[in-house]
Amino acid sequence: MDIKAPRGVRDILPDESWRWAYVLDVTAKTMADFGHSEIHLPLFEQTELFSRGVGDTTDIVEKEMYNFTDRGGRNLTLRPEATAGMVRAAVEHGLCAQGAASRLWCWGAMFRYERPQKGRYRQFFQIDAETLGVSGAVADVEVIALSAEIFRRLGLRNLEVVLNSVGCPKCRPIYRDKLLKHFSAHKGELCKDCLVRLDRNPLRLLDCKEPGCGAVANAAPAIYDCLCDECAAHFEDVRNGLSGLGFRYTLDKRLVRGLDYYTKTAYEILSGDLGAQNAVCGGGRYDNLSESVGGPHLPGVGFAAGVDRIVLIMEEQGCSFGQCPQKEVYVVAQDDTPAVCNAVLSLTHRLRMEGIPAEQDAGDALGKKRSAKSQMKSADNAGVTWACLVSQDESHNIVIAMKNMNTGEQTTARPEEVARRVKESYNI
Ligand SMILES: [Zn+2]
Ligand SMILES: [Zn+2]
């Protein structure tokens, strides 16, 4: 076939999708334990939500968004991230109307037009949690603890919280000026992207991956002595909260989020051995996002984690994904008489209704029934524990030979006995 999946997107095939299901199961349970309710958001929103909410000076809005006009002439965008949509939904439906925290989570596909590389796709999947409507540090500590707990339950090694504050509109301009002065004095050492960023958003220079820029950024002033009283107290409360829960954290003055709406707390969680650490999630506080998209004042804090990336890191670290779903029984027709075929169909269905994963032959592409021998081959390939060979005896009774594929032992059973005998074999 000439038609392939578009560049930068991929199929999650059955040998991987069960690992995803495991990650999402663990995530859903942890979210529930922390009081976060699941929400399903639309995959596309009005373009304005992201251009105003994510910030025009970010790479996402400048280069990476999938924008389109629908048949009604509306400007729409495939969501590049979930937070803006979450805030939009919470405001639209009055989820924070009670004045208390609204704890939400979602997961699903996000879209960014980036250069595809290993572990990075143009359609990627994120887990996202947000606590909306409260400004105190308790919410920040809870969100950080929630993300760390998901990764602990998934078995990721050596988890470490990396923490910073990005200040607020009151104190950030002071820091911005300091940074502008510092980076301007080293213009010759900066990459060309950073030269453009310098005037528009000098904070972005701190997380440039180019070695030249990195050296200049390492020598840059830290935000800590620029923080206003409110931001400094909040930062202190978050640090105390994390210490109180026994979390290992380090401060990193170069940790800034790529998105303009972040205020105060910014954090990442790293996993892996020293020198080979990977960021498994990033998040922080965004007290001004709602207002920047025309909503009421609605403080929030949250995190996002990429599912593709989590699965990849779990595989690298040899983490368990639980049990791969197994087929238990393959029901084989010994001949193609109508009585036997009907008995195969009804036995398979009966086992499935009992919660026993069962399979039968569905014929070939031309609609022809396959021989008993090739059905046994399929049973072998499927790795089932039991093959149930269905036939008719001389007095036209249906008889079933249950073959244990592990031991080779074979016994006969009536159709109504098969489910019970399979279940009994679990307990041996
Ligand atoms: Zn401040
Ligand atoms: Zn740079």
Side-chain angles (χ1 to χ4, degrees):
M1 183 163 49
D2 289 339
I3 301 172
K4 302 263 187 282
R7 180 167 152 81
V9 305
R10 65 172 185 143
D11 305 296
I12 312 301
L13 300 177
D15 62 355
E16 192 178 1
S17 64
W18 67 274
R19 296 169 187 235
W20 283 47
Y22 175 76
V23 169
L24 290 167
D25 271 359
V26 170
T27 299
K29 175 69 174 83
T30 318
M31 293 285 186
D33 290 346
F34 279 69
H36 284 250
S37 307
E38 189 169 10
I39 176 169
H40 297 292
L41 297 168
L43 294 192
F44 57 86
E45 300 267 5
Q46 293 185 39
T47 299
E48 234 189 319
L49 178 69
F50 302 117
S51 56
R52 285 167 62 180
V54 177
D56 309 323
T57 63
T58 58
D59 284 350
I60 297 178
V61 171
E62 283 177 351
K63 307 180 210 154
E64 296 171 359
M65 291 208 310
Y66 278 92
N67 304 319
F68 63 100
T69 310
D70 76 359
R71 286 166 195 271
R74 299 170 192 89
N75 292 323
L76 303 171
T77 295
L78 296 182
R79 60 181 185 188
E81 52 98 56
T83 310
M86 202 87 106
V87 168
R88 196 263 314 137
V91 171
E92 192 171 329
H93 303 287
L95 300 184
C96 300
Q98 305 301 321
S102 182
R103 296 181 181 86
L104 302 167
W105 81 281
C106 73
W107 82 278
M110 313 288 155
F111 305 86
R112 290 185 197 174
Y113 191 82
E114 291 187 277
R115 193 141 50 96
Q117 47 185 289
K118 191 178 182 222
R120 184 171 293 223
Y121 304 95
R122 290 179 173 173
Q123 171 180 296
F124 56 100
F125 290 78
Q126 276 189 346
I127 292 162
D128 190 278
E130 314 290 347
T131 298
L132 301 173
V134 290
S135 58
V138 170
D140 305 48
V141 174
E142 265 192 352
V143 159
I144 296 171
L146 162 60
S147 52
E149 177 61 8
I150 291 171
F151 303 130
R152 189 191 69 80
R153 291 188 191 185
L154 290 173
L156 290 176
R157 280 207 309 265
N158 300 337
L159 294 168
E160 186 182 335
V161 178
V162 181
L163 191 66
N164 195 20
S165 173
V166 293
C168 71
K170 229 180 344 171
C171 54
R172 193 154 48 207
I174 303 167
Y175 183 51
R176 209 185 161 105
D177 283 349
K178 270 197 179 182
L179 282 182
L180 191 60
K181 216 177 270 166
H182 172 76
F183 284 114
S184 298
H186 296 274
K187 266 190 178 165
E189 295 144 65
L190 303 178
C191 71
K192 68 177 193 312
D193 283 345
C194 281
L195 287 174
V196 176
R197 289 178 191 136
L198 187 57
D199 293 323
R200 306 178 61 177
N201 188 357
L203 254 77
R204 295 287 322 283
L205 273 67
L206 288 171
D207 67 351
C208 181
K209 300 283 178 279
E210 295 291 326
C213 304
V216 181
N218 281 335
I223 197 170
Y224 313 123
D225 27 297
C226 300
L227 293 177
C228 65
D229 290 348
E230 188 190 325
C231 287
H234 187 92
F235 193 45
E236 175 92 18
D237 287 348
V238 172
R239 294 177 60 176
N240 287 338
L242 290 177
S243 305
L245 295 179
F247 281 103
R248 222 155 44 88
Y249 71 87
T250 51
L251 299 183
D252 181 357
K253 67 176 181 191
R254 288 184 57 190
L255 178 67
V256 288
R257 313 300 311 165
L259 310 178
D260 286 352
Y261 55 65
Y262 278 97
T263 52
K264 297 177 179 165
T265 307
Y267 82 99
E268 269 180 3
I269 293 187
L270 306 180
S271 166
D273 300 324
L274 210 65
Q277 284 175 316
N278 286 296
V280 285
C281 85
R285 180 165 277 287
Y286 47 87
D287 289 346
N288 300 316
L289 170 61
S290 173
E291 283 156 302
S292 72
V293 295
H297 178 64
L298 186 72
V301 57
F303 77 90
V307 181
D308 302 85
R309 204 176 161 79
I310 295 172
V311 170
L312 198 69
I313 295 171
M314 285 176 70
E315 284 167 352
E316 279 168 14
Q317 295 189 4
C319 299
S320 163
F321 289 90
Q323 186 107 53
C324 174
Q326 280 278 321
K327 296 189 177 96
E328 276 307 316
V329 179
Y330 199 103
V331 183
V332 175
Q334 289 284 58
D335 61 61
D336 59 359
T337 58
V340 165
C341 291
N342 286 338
V344 167
L345 195 61
S346 74
L347 175 59
T348 307
H349 189 60
R350 191 177 200 145
L351 291 167
R352 290 169 175 170
M353 287 172 74
E354 291 278 343
I356 298 167
E359 197 166 312
Q360 65 189 326
D361 179 43
D364 65 13
L366 298 170
K368 271 189 22 201
K369 299 216 159 61
R370 294 158 68 237
S371 69
K373 197 174 153 196
S374 40
Q375 291 175 54
M376 278 306 283
K377 212 170 188 174
S378 297
D380 225 12
N381 291 339
V384 294
T385 312
W386 294 96
C388 289
L389 297 84
V390 180
S391 60
Q392 243 178 336
D393 64 15
E394 287 116 27
S395 19
H396 300 288
N397 295 316
I398 291 295
V399 287
I400 290 157
M402 289 181 70
K403 182 174 180 189
N404 184 318
M405 302 291 273
N406 299 329
T407 62
E409 248 172 273
Q410 191 165 315
T411 51
T412 56
R414 292 193 306 276
E416 61 275 20
E417 293 172 333
V418 175
R420 181 177 51 80
R421 302 239 315 239
V422 170
K423 284 184 180 172
E424 276 169 10
S425 74
Y426 295 159
N427 303 325
I428 293 167

